[in-house]
Amino acid sequence: MDINQAASFGGERICAPLKSFRFVLPIIRHHHERFDGSGYPDGLRGEEIPGTARVLQVVDVYDALTTDRPYKKALSVTDALQTMKEEVAKGWWDPHIFDQFERLVSGGAGDALSRGTRPLDVKG
């Protein structure tokens, strides 16, 4: 087990005793699964992966691609979406969730998401 795989278990173990986290435990555990079954920790595939984890996968990858890191510069929104399309074609991410996400980002939310601002003026 590599360090990334251990983190999925560790995060779940840390959060498990917290009652308020009981609904997010499946997200923590399964956000590194891949739609084709090649992910971890349980090798789930397709609809076996909780929907909330499949959503987080797409958002997490987009964030990783569009954020400067010490080891790489952020990709543009266009380049990030192209990279993600290639990963969807490899079977890594839920194509339906990615399609919806791409529409959201292409509709103008991408720049706001990349800047960490809210795309809509939501009162509440």
Side-chain angles (χ1 to χ4, degrees), residues 35 46-47 49-59 84 88 93-105:
F35 206 66
E47 301 290 321
I49 304 166
T52 49
R54 287 182 276 135
V55 169
L56 181 64
Q57 291 168 337
V58 170
V59 174
M84 293 175 75
V88 167
W93 320 125
D94 184 320
H96 302 294
I97 290 174
F98 174 74
D99 288 345
Q100 294 296 315
F101 181 78
E102 183 180 26
R103 279 189 222 145
L104 174 72
V105 170

Side-chain angles (χ1 to χ4, degrees), residues 42-108:
D42 299 317
L44 301 180
R45 80 174 43 242
E47 301 290 321
E48 294 173 345
I49 304 166
T52 49
R54 287 182 276 135
V55 169
L56 181 64
Q57 291 168 337
V58 170
V59 174
D60 186 42
V61 169
Y62 179 82
D63 178 66
L65 292 173
T66 59
T67 302
D68 280 336
R69 305 290 173 139
Y71 51 88
K72 71 158 193 72
K73 297 296 282 176
L75 296 180
S76 69
V77 170
T78 302
D79 289 344
L81 290 174
Q82 182 58 43
T83 297
M84 293 175 75
K85 282 181 191 177
E86 293 166 10
E87 293 174 347
V88 167
K90 292 177 185 177
W92 292 3
W93 320 125
D94 184 320
H96 302 294
I97 290 174
F98 174 74
D99 288 345
Q100 294 296 315
F101 181 78
E102 183 180 26
R103 279 189 222 145
L104 174 72
V105 170
S106 297

